[in-house]
Amino acid sequence: MNSKGKSIIFFSLHYPFHISDSYLDKEIDLLSQSFEKVIVITNNTFSEERRPTPPNAVVYRFTPFEKRSSFVSLLLLVFKPMFCQEIFRLFFVYKQKISFGLLKEVLAFYSRSITTKRFLQQVILEQNIDTNNLLIYSYWMIESSFASALLKQQHSQVKTITRAHSLDVYFDRSPVKYHPFRQFIFSQMDKIYFISANARDYFARAHHFDTDKMQKTAISRIGIESPTNFIEQRTDETLRIISVGYIQKLKRIDLIVDTLALMGDAKIEWVHVGHSNHNEADFIEVQKYAANKLGGKSNISYRFTGKTSKEDLFNLYAERPFDLHLNVSETEGIPVSMMEAMSYSVPLIGTNVGGVAEIVEHGVNGFLLSPYPDSAEVKIAIEKFNALPVAQKNVLRKNAFCTWNAKYNAQVNNQNFVNDVMALVG
């Protein structure tokens, strides 16, 4: 039942467009039952396909880019006290090496956030929203979080929350090795929901927040729904490996290719699901690399599926029961792709980066690699799994499925999140 008069403004990167945010559908559907008005502001201004949204939802498409004509006003931001405070923190608190690129990014972030705040105010007026009954929820701790924090500074009755993942938490995930205005965002948020304990611990250390301050944060794991029950290990001799992710440097798909090139006579089928996150040339390049390295190995077959919807991925899992899910990324939060694999009882091999160790229990539901393994280390892990008797493989599979059910079941996690949010809203 809707709470009369209550409104939520939800900032997303892509929802309800594009396949990358499809796991948000259930969460937003659940939230929509607790609010009279649901306003979605998405950064996606390019995708044509749109998934269904709740009947009480209105969608705005908005990208916070400043126009060239506003360059003078942008320069005036340099004299704003908040900007000066951030530069002070950069130098004295974060001990950052000041560079033109870093200053430019802080300035640009500030400018984009101001633009977002203006748009946010416009939407509130347009939709006739009562700020006494308003929750602003940013799915990523980016410009939208800063914009809502700026709004809350003026309207303290507004409730503000944000999730925090990986790209928006770890400094090394930023091109300038820094995320601006986190101190201010933190001060104005009613609650910050981290998707992993690793991300929350890193955030506290990086920004020098003690235990008392971190009480306004929580770990709220995302999840996926499983369309199946436990699936037992097959008994044929082919080892079926799946990897899922964008074709980009940090995913190190070339390392998977190098690893398979080292494998002996074992019959292996490898499927990589995902397309380039930047341009088609990257996708073509990795296919050429695989053809060059694996083309002469008759015992290894491989396929790149390219852009694949969530539904098609689940169909793939159902039609071709995989033995292993392989992730060799150099940085991660907690990959949704790993949750999806475990929901189909597929054990994991993953690099020990970010929050991966929270989902991969070494020797229990899969195997952890070092953060930056070479192909020999990855090969050893694959061979270790392949040499296990069927009964032991089934133990890993059962544990993988149980890990999903206990920690990453979307039905449970979404309901717990919504319950917490509604307790905060009152």
Side-chain angles (χ1 to χ4, degrees), residues 37 58 60 119-129:
K37 285 186 177 180
V58 176
Y60 288 85
F119 185 79
L120 178 57
Q121 290 172 313
Q122 176 187 324
V123 169
I124 290 172
L125 285 173
E126 215 172 90
Q127 294 294 326
N128 194 28
I129 293 173

Side-chain angles (χ1 to χ4, degrees), residues 39-281:
I39 314 298
V40 178
I41 301 176
T42 175
N43 283 171
N44 188 309
T45 58
F46 53 87
S47 297
E48 294 182 5
E49 57 208 84
R50 172 174 168 172
R51 298 190 306 282
T53 52
N56 58 334
V58 176
V59 179
Y60 288 85
R61 305 183 84 159
F62 167 76
T63 301
F65 291 126
E66 283 282 355
K67 296 179 180 177
R68 288 174 185 256
S69 58
S70 63
F71 182 70
V72 174
S73 60
L74 195 152
L75 284 178
L76 291 176
L77 294 176
V78 173
F79 301 102
K80 294 284 187 179
M82 190 178 295
F83 182 83
C84 295
Q85 288 168 8
E86 190 67 11
I87 299 305
F88 177 86
R89 289 194 188 101
L90 266 171
F91 189 75
F92 292 104
V93 178
Y94 298 105
K95 311 295 183 185
Q96 290 278 346
K97 184 178 179 181
I98 307 299
S99 66
F100 174 76
L102 179 55
L103 292 176
K104 182 180 177 182
E105 174 54 27
V106 175
L107 187 61
F109 185 90
Y110 192 101
S111 175
R112 292 192 299 266
S113 300
I114 294 296
T115 306
T116 303
K117 182 198 169 189
R118 292 194 194 112
F119 185 79
L120 178 57
Q121 290 172 313
Q122 176 187 324
V123 169
I124 290 172
L125 285 173
E126 215 172 90
Q127 294 294 326
N128 194 28
I129 293 173
D130 177 10
T131 55
N132 291 300
N133 291 292
L134 171 62
L135 170 70
I136 305 176
Y137 169 23
S138 180
Y139 196 71
W140 296 84
M141 198 191 302
I142 51 177
E143 289 87 349
S144 53
S145 299
F146 190 27
S148 59
L150 289 168
L151 185 78
K152 186 179 177 68
Q153 191 181 37
Q154 296 175 333
H155 304 279
S156 59
Q157 71 274 23
V158 174
K159 297 292 185 182
T160 53
I161 62 174
T162 184
R163 280 194 185 269
H165 300 250
S166 172
L167 284 168
D168 50 351
V169 174
Y170 303 103
F171 282 177
D172 63 2
R173 295 298 303 270
S174 163
V176 295
K177 309 303 179 187
Y178 180 70
H179 293 298
F181 299 102
R182 289 309 188 259
Q183 298 270 355
F184 179 75
I185 291 172
F186 185 88
S187 72
Q188 297 299 314
M189 288 295 123
D190 289 286
K191 202 155 190 178
I192 298 178
Y193 295 91
F194 292 89
I195 69 164
S196 72
N198 184 278
R200 184 172 71 171
D201 293 345
Y202 175 91
F203 187 86
R205 290 194 309 272
H207 302 286
H208 310 288
F209 291 137
D210 59 26
T211 304
D212 287 341
K213 281 191 174 182
M214 291 300 289
Q215 287 180 2
K216 70 187 295 185
T217 70
I219 298 170
S220 178
R221 294 184 173 91
I222 55 179
I224 61 105
E225 292 188 348
S226 176
T228 185
N229 295 314
F230 170 65
I231 303 171
E232 289 194 354
Q233 176 69 38
R234 296 170 302 96
T235 56
D236 64 57
E237 294 182 356
T238 301
L239 176 65
R240 294 179 174 87
I241 300 173
I242 185 169
S243 55
V244 181
Y246 285 121
I247 305 292
Q248 54 182 316
K249 185 179 178 181
L250 65 85
K251 294 296 183 181
R252 295 192 288 199
I253 308 305
D254 57 332
L255 178 58
I256 298 178
V257 174
D258 292 341
T259 299
L260 295 180
L262 295 178
M263 300 297 291
D265 297 328
K267 188 175 180 181
I268 296 173
E269 291 181 5
W270 170 46
V271 176
H272 180 79
V273 178
H275 59 100
S276 172
N277 195 27
H278 299 291
N279 57 67
E280 187 67 18

